[in-house]
Amino acid sequence: MLSEFQRDTSVELLGTESRNGERESLRYRADVRRGWEIGEISNGGYLLALVGSAMSTAVERPPLTVTAHYLLPVTPGPAEAVVRPIRVGRRLATVVATLEREGRPMLTALGTFGTAAGSEVRLVDGGPPDVGHGYDAAALPASPNEPPFPSITDRLAVRLRPGDDGYRRAAPKGSADLAGWFAFADGGPIDKLALLLAADAFAPPIFNSGLPASWVPTIELTVHVRASPAPGPLRAAFRSRFITGGMLDEDGELWDEAGNIVAQSRQLSLIPRS
Amino acid sequence: MLSEFQRDTSVELLGTESRNGERESLRYRADVRRGWEIGEISNGGYLLALVGSAMSTAVERPPLTVTAHYLLPVTPGPAEAVVRPIRVGRRLATVVATLEREGRPMLTALGTFGTAAGSEVRLVDGGPPDVGHGYDAAALPASPNEPPFPSITDRLAVRLRPGDDGYRRAAPKGSADLAGWFAFADGGPIDKLALLLAADAFAPPIFNSGLPASWVPTIELTVHVRASPAPGPLRAAFRSRFITGGMLDEDGELWDEAGNIVAQSRQLSLIPRS
C-alpha cells in the first residue's frame, strides 16, 4: 500500500526518444497531484520530489544531489517529465530533467543519483536543532488553524519549535530562522526521495525576521542527500543569512531520529518588489 | 586587452542545432586552456567559469546561480560547450549546458542568468573573514613555494590567513576551514563570471582538519552570485561541516573590498576510499 507521498510522486514511462539511433531521453507521465499546494501553487519541494522520482526511476538509483530551477508557478494538473541521462557510471548517474505541461517547461533539474562508497562519520560540526519537545503529532497543535490554509499542511505533520510560529500570529521573533519536526500526516515512510520534499516543507525563515515578505518565489533549490533516514520524524532547521539585492538564501539541515544529518539544502529566492 | 582569465574563458559559436524547426541548442568551441590545473587536472571552478561563459554568452546575461556536476577528471585540450536555453524570460534565463570532448560529456551545468530586481541590503548575518592583514601581493608569500606545484597558482594571487596554511607544512590547524584573499596574478578584473572560479580556487578546507584526505573529487558545485564585486581582491572563507558516508560538504563565502557578500558557494565531494 502506497503512502500519499509515494502515490503522488509515482511516474509512468510513456516512451523513449532517440536521436541518431541513440536513446536520448525518457518521457514519463508525472502529473502534479492536488494536495501539495501552498495556496494555489504546488510546493517546490513536492515538485523537486516529483521530478526526482522520474530521474531516480530512469537510472534506478536514489537521489544523491539534485538541483532544480523553477521557471513558472506550477498548479496541479497533467505533466510530463523528460529525463535525459548524461552519464551512467557504475555507481553514480548524472541526469537532466524537465517537467513540462503541454510542451512548456515548468522546472528544470540536474542531479546525480546513486550512493557514495563508505559509511564512516568523520566530522559532524553541529547537531540536530533543539526543538524543545518530543515529537507527538496528537499532542501538538496541528500546523495552521489560522489562515492561510495551505493544503500541503493536510499532507504533512510539521510541528514548529515553540516560539518559531510567531509569524503566523503576526508576531515574528525577529530572526530569520525556524526549526521543527517533519513527518507525513499519514505516517508514510521518509525515504531519500522524501528528503527532497522535506527540504522545502517549512515556511520561509524570512517570515520570522520581521522584514516585509510575503511571496518569495524560489529560483533554485539544491538538496544534498547525506544518508538514508532512520525510521521516524525528522528534525529540521532553516535559516536565511543574506537578504540583499532582491534575493535571499535559505540553508536547511535535516536530521533523523538516530541523530544523523540526512540532508543539507540551500535555495536562492527572489524578493519581489512590493 | 583581455586578462588571462578572460582569454581562457572565451568561447566561439560554432553553430546552432535545430529540432522540429526550432533552435534547440548552441554549440561553442570552449577549449580547456592550460594553466588552470591542480596537478594535471583542470580546476573545477575554472571549468564552471568556462561553461558558464558559454551559457552567459548564449543568453547575453551574467550568471545568477549556476550548478555543475562533474562527470570525469578534465585535462586541458579541445572542448565544446553545448548550451540549451530552457526558458528565456524578460529578466532571467535558465540554461542547461554540457562541456564535451569528442562527444563525451565531461561536465553538465544548470544555471539561471540575469540580474534580480532591487539593490537593498536588508539582512546580512555575518561579515567578511578577518584575514589578519591587508592584501599586498608583493609583500605576502606567494601561494606555494612547496610541492605540489599546481599551475593554477601561477594564475592566481591567493593569500591564506595566517595559520591557515598549515596543511602545506603537514601541520594542519585541526579544523576544517580556511580563509584568505583572492585575486588574479595578472591583476585582471574580478567580475561575476570570475566568482564562479573564485568559489573553487582554494584548497579543500578538509586539508586543515587533520583528517586523512588527498584527492576529493567534486560531484556538485553551486555558486550563487549575490552582487557585482567592487574593484579589488576578494576575501573568501570556506568550511566543511559534515564529513560522513564517503562525502563532504564545503560552504564558501566571497566578500568584496566594499564589504559586500558577492557570492555563496556549496559543493559536495567524494572522499575516495583509501
Side-chain angles (χ1 to χ4, degrees):
Chain A
M1 166 116 177
L2 294 180
S3 71
E4 291 176 337
F5 173 75
Q6 289 167 335
R7 178 194 67 204
D8 290 349
T9 53
S10 62
V11 298
E12 181 195 345
L13 185 65
L14 295 175
T16 60
E17 292 168 22
S18 300
R19 180 188 265 190
N20 305 330
E22 284 186 54
R23 196 181 73 176
E24 198 188 41
S25 58
L26 300 92
R27 183 173 289 268
Y28 290 89
R29 181 171 173 177
D31 293 342
V32 178
R33 273 69 158 213
R34 195 165 291 282
W36 303 91
E37 301 90 67
I38 313 286
E40 297 179 351
I41 306 302
S42 298
N43 168 260
Y46 166 67
L47 295 173
L48 181 62
L50 177 63
V51 78
S53 171
M55 298 163 91
S56 176
T57 299
V59 294
E60 299 179 296
R61 284 161 233 221
L64 183 62
T65 165
V66 190
T67 292
H69 286 232
Y70 296 87
L71 310 176
L72 301 168
V74 174
T75 53
E80 296 181 0
V82 181
V83 177
R84 191 157 55 99
I86 304 293
R87 179 170 185 268
V88 178
R90 191 177 51 84
R91 182 178 286 278
L92 302 179
T94 300
V95 182
V96 169
T98 299
L99 188 69
E100 301 182 350
R101 178 169 293 157
E102 294 171 354
R104 188 179 194 198
M106 302 188 290
L107 174 161
T108 297
L110 169 59
T112 292
F113 291 72
T115 305
S119 57
E120 262 184 296
V121 174
R122 295 189 188 179
L123 174 70
V124 176
D125 178 2
D130 178 2
V131 294
H133 52 73
Y135 179 80
D136 181 344
L140 286 162
S143 298
N145 289 316
E146 318 92 85
F149 295 96
S151 59
I152 194 174
T153 58
D154 295 335
R155 300 274 191 231
L156 304 181
V158 163
R159 300 292 180 271
L160 291 173
R161 179 169 58 189
D164 282 5
D165 59 346
Y167 70 90
R168 291 205 189 119
R169 303 184 308 270
K173 65 178 184 175
S175 63
D177 64 84
L178 53 77
W181 293 100
F182 172 90
F184 288 112
D186 69 355
I190 303 172
D191 61 6
K192 286 181 170 181
L193 194 67
L195 295 174
L196 305 185
L197 164 62
D200 193 43
F202 287 72
I206 186 179
F207 285 7
N208 264 341
S209 69
L211 292 165
S214 51
W215 180 53
V216 285
T218 302
I219 303 174
E220 180 261 347
L221 168 60
T222 294
V223 181
H224 293 176
V225 173
R226 298 302 301 260
S228 264
L234 304 177
R235 279 162 290 179
F238 299 94
R239 178 182 179 202
S240 290
R241 293 182 52 213
F242 303 110
I243 307 179
T244 64
M247 291 173 279
L248 77 161
D249 65 326
E250 178 185 327
D251 271 12
E253 295 174 14
L254 301 172
W255 300 79
D256 71 6
E257 277 280 81
N260 292 314
I261 182 90
V262 292
Q264 282 184 283
S265 65
R266 176 171 283 174
Q267 57 181 282
L268 185 68
S269 301
L270 291 176
I271 308 180
R273 280 193 280 208
S274 46
Chain B
M1 166 112 179
L2 294 181
S3 71
E4 290 176 336
F5 173 76
Q6 290 167 335
R7 179 195 66 204
D8 289 348
T9 54
S10 63
V11 298
E12 181 196 345
L13 185 65
L14 295 175
T16 59
E17 291 168 22
S18 301
R19 179 189 265 191
N20 306 328
E22 284 186 55
R23 193 180 76 179
E24 198 189 41
S25 58
L26 300 92
R27 182 173 290 269
Y28 290 89
R29 182 173 173 176
D31 293 342
V32 178
R33 271 70 157 212
R34 195 165 292 280
W36 304 90
E37 301 90 67
I38 313 286
E40 297 180 350
I41 306 301
S42 298
N43 169 261
Y46 166 67
L47 295 173
L48 180 63
L50 177 63
V51 77
S53 172
M55 298 163 92
S56 176
T57 300
V59 295
E60 299 179 296
R61 285 162 231 224
L64 183 61
T65 165
V66 190
T67 292
H69 286 233
Y70 296 87
L71 310 176
L72 301 169
V74 174
T75 52
E80 296 182 0
V82 181
V83 178
R84 190 157 56 99
I86 304 291
R87 179 172 185 270
V88 178
R90 189 177 54 83
R91 182 178 285 278
L92 302 180
T94 300
V95 182
V96 170
T98 298
L99 188 70
E100 301 181 351
R101 178 169 293 157
E102 294 171 356
R104 189 178 194 200
M106 302 188 289
L107 174 161
T108 298
L110 168 60
T112 292
F113 291 72
T115 305
S119 57
E120 262 183 295
V121 174
R122 295 188 187 181
L123 174 70
V124 176
D125 177 2
D130 178 3
V131 292
H133 53 75
Y135 178 81
D136 181 344
L140 287 161
S143 300
N145 288 317
E146 319 91 87
F149 296 96
S151 58
I152 193 174
T153 58
D154 295 335
R155 301 274 192 229
L156 304 181
V158 163
R159 299 293 179 271
L160 291 174
R161 179 169 58 190
D164 282 5
D165 59 345
Y167 69 90
R168 290 204 191 121
R169 303 184 308 270
K173 64 180 185 173
S175 62
D177 64 84
L178 54 77
W181 292 102
F182 172 91
F184 287 112
D186 68 356
I190 303 172
D191 60 7
K192 286 180 171 182
L193 195 67
L195 295 175
L196 305 185
L197 164 62
D200 194 42
F202 287 72
I206 187 178
F207 285 6
N208 265 340
S209 70
L211 292 165
S214 52
W215 180 53
V216 284
T218 301
I219 304 175
E220 181 261 346
L221 168 60
T222 294
V223 181
H224 293 176
V225 173
R226 297 302 302 261
S228 264
L234 304 177
R235 279 161 291 178
F238 299 93
R239 178 184 179 200
S240 291
R241 292 182 53 214
F242 302 110
I243 307 178
T244 65
M247 292 173 278
L248 77 161
D249 66 327
E250 178 184 324
D251 271 11
E253 296 174 13
L254 301 172
W255 299 80
D256 71 6
E257 276 281 81
N260 292 313
I261 181 92
V262 293
Q264 282 184 284
S265 65
R266 175 172 284 173
Q267 58 181 281
L268 184 68
S269 301
L270 290 177
I271 309 180
R273 279 193 279 206
S274 47

